[in-house]
Amino acid sequence: MKPNSRTTTDQRGFTITQMVITLVIIAITSTAGVLAIKTARAEFRLQSNARLFATYIEKARADAIRRHAATGQESSIETFGPGSTTYAITMDFGSGAVETRTFDIDSGLNFSTAAQKVTFDWRGRITQAWVFQIFSEYLQRSLPVDVSGSGDITVGEQHFPDQLIPPVEIAEVTGDVDSTPTPTPTPTPSGTPPLGGGGDPEATPTPTPTATPTPTPTPTPTPSNNGNGNGPDGNNGNGNGNPTPTPTPSGNPSPTPTPSAQCVSSISPSSISLSQSDGTKKTGSAVFTMVNATGTRTISASIAGNGNSLTLGVGLLRIDGSGSSVITVTTKNGAGNRGVFVVNVSADPACGSTQQLTVSVSN
């Protein structure tokens, strides 16, 4: 009996489920790789721009020392406030004359600290230590470039010694100067007086003649015109005439409208100083006040330049009419959160101009 069977061959391949899983793994890996590459490129862009910026600061300082820069000819570097993408370098670029050139940082980067001009004297020093912050929009963080009072430049450092040096107190020295007044010598008359009536007789002073006062003449009164007599054009002017009355306008005059007082806002204080390490100075506050306001307004606070180096809080988000709201500012740890920042506080609808709060954050 011949068996009725079919010979089965081995089937090889992938199922749809296996292919879907493989594609998902490839997509996840590719996405992670692309994100890692973009992050690495953004980090490289931030680091390279910060170090190039620091290099120009070093060149400006070295140029001031080399030229022994006189007053008015110092080398300097200047930034233009939060959100700006340019900076200006003033120095001798090799032409023999001091000139100013403007440089740009890469797209996606901006300065997040307040505008500042740092000037180097002939010793390569500046008046006060300063920190510039370059902010990356993709990484959402900043990289600091510090300039110490002695002119040292560092990039990305958190510990900086200038703020740790206590101020020098100069004691007043007293009692080291003799306060006794110097006696004034008595003048001694010179010459010998004549003896026994000899010598030249004393001169008799000449009497001063007395001036005789001249009598003041009595003024003659000026005759006044009383309306009598012959006047011009045949008018004899006899009698006192009544003046022609001024006509009074008829009708009720329109009252002058009184302008309504404009809404004005203010903030007090306008600047505060905070610290990252001192627990008593990590948080500060200011009061935003509106006067002559009508209706309901919404209060908002934000860091200029879209930075995120501070934590902001608004006491009252909505104010009906005139009133005040407390703006609180808290520091964040990290090297990228030091420096001088500007906080914009405003109302919607607008009440006067936007108020700016300057916040200085040290170690």
Side-chain angles (χ1 to χ4, degrees):
M1 178 177 178
K2 187 176 180 180
N4 186 11
S5 62
R6 296 180 180 178
T7 303
T8 59
T9 59
D10 295 336
Q11 296 180 358
R12 301 179 182 276
F14 300 100
T15 63
I16 295 178
T17 304
Q18 291 174 330
M19 294 182 64
V20 170
I21 293 174
T22 302
L23 292 175
V24 169
I25 294 174
I26 293 174
I28 294 174
T29 306
S30 300
T31 303
V34 170
L35 293 177
I37 293 173
K38 292 183 66 176
T39 302
R41 291 183 62 184
E43 181 69 30
F44 175 78
R45 187 181 299 112
L46 177 61
Q47 290 283 346
S48 62
N49 279 265
R51 298 191 182 279
L52 179 62
F53 178 67
T55 301
Y56 277 117
I57 301 177
E58 288 276 11
K59 288 183 178 180
R61 177 175 182 267
D63 175 71
I65 298 174
R66 177 184 61 83
R67 293 186 294 107
H68 204 80
T71 303
Q73 295 294 318
E74 300 94 344
S75 300
S76 64
I77 182 167
E78 183 178 8
T79 58
F80 303 100
S84 62
T85 59
T86 60
Y87 57 94
I89 304 292
T90 301
M91 58 177 285
D92 179 7
F93 289 91
S95 61
V98 177
E99 58 180 314
T100 301
R101 295 183 182 180
T102 303
F103 300 88
D104 297 323
I105 56 179
D106 291 345
S107 60
L109 303 175
N110 59 71
F111 290 98
S112 60
T113 44
Q116 178 69 9
K117 184 176 183 179
V118 172
T119 302
F120 294 97
D121 60 14
W122 63 272
R123 295 177 296 178
R125 299 180 179 180
I126 62 177
T127 56
Q128 184 180 5
W130 190 261
V131 55
F132 299 95
Q133 294 283 358
I134 300 180
F135 179 73
S136 171
E137 297 177 359
Y138 182 81
L139 299 175
Q140 287 296 300
R141 70 178 184 86
S142 299
L143 187 65
V145 178
D146 286 275
V147 185
S148 69
S150 60
D152 297 325
I153 296 99
T154 56
V155 179
E157 295 293 335
Q158 168 64 8
H159 178 78
F160 213 72
D162 269 30
Q163 287 80 10
L164 302 180
I165 301 176
V168 179
E169 296 182 1
I170 301 177
E172 182 180 359
V173 179
T174 58
D176 61 332
V177 178
D178 187 7
S179 59
T180 304
T182 304
T184 304
T186 303
T188 303
S190 60
T192 303
L195 299 176
D200 297 333
E202 295 181 357
T204 302
T206 304
T208 303
T210 304
T212 303
T214 303
T216 304
T218 304
T220 303
T222 303
S224 59
N225 184 11
N226 58 3
N228 295 323
N230 294 326
D233 300 331
N235 183 12
N236 58 7
N238 193 13
N240 295 326
N242 295 326
T244 303
T246 303
T248 303
S250 60
N252 296 326
S254 301
T256 303
T258 303
S260 59
Q262 294 183 351
C263 182
V264 179
S265 62
S266 62
I267 192 166
S268 178
S270 58
S271 62
I272 56 177
S273 297
L274 304 177
S275 173
Q276 292 179 327
S277 57
D278 189 350
T280 62
K281 296 182 179 180
K282 284 190 173 183
T283 300
S285 62
V287 179
F288 177 77
T289 304
M290 295 188 302
V291 181
N292 300 327
T294 57
T296 303
R297 284 177 165 83
T298 303
I299 311 302
S300 62
S302 61
I303 303 175
N306 298 322
N308 59 356
S309 298
L310 303 170
T311 301
L312 305 178
V314 180
L316 290 177
L317 291 175
R318 297 171 65 87
I319 297 178
D320 188 6
S322 301
S324 301
S325 179
V326 177
I327 310 300
T328 58
V329 183
T330 305
T331 62
K332 294 181 179 180
N333 293 327
N337 300 319
R338 292 183 293 108
V340 179
F341 304 96
V342 177
V343 177
N344 292 327
V345 184
S346 61
D348 185 24
C351 178
S353 59
T354 299
Q355 300 300 307
Q356 291 188 335
L357 173 65
T358 302
V359 182
S360 177
V361 181
S362 60
N363 285 344

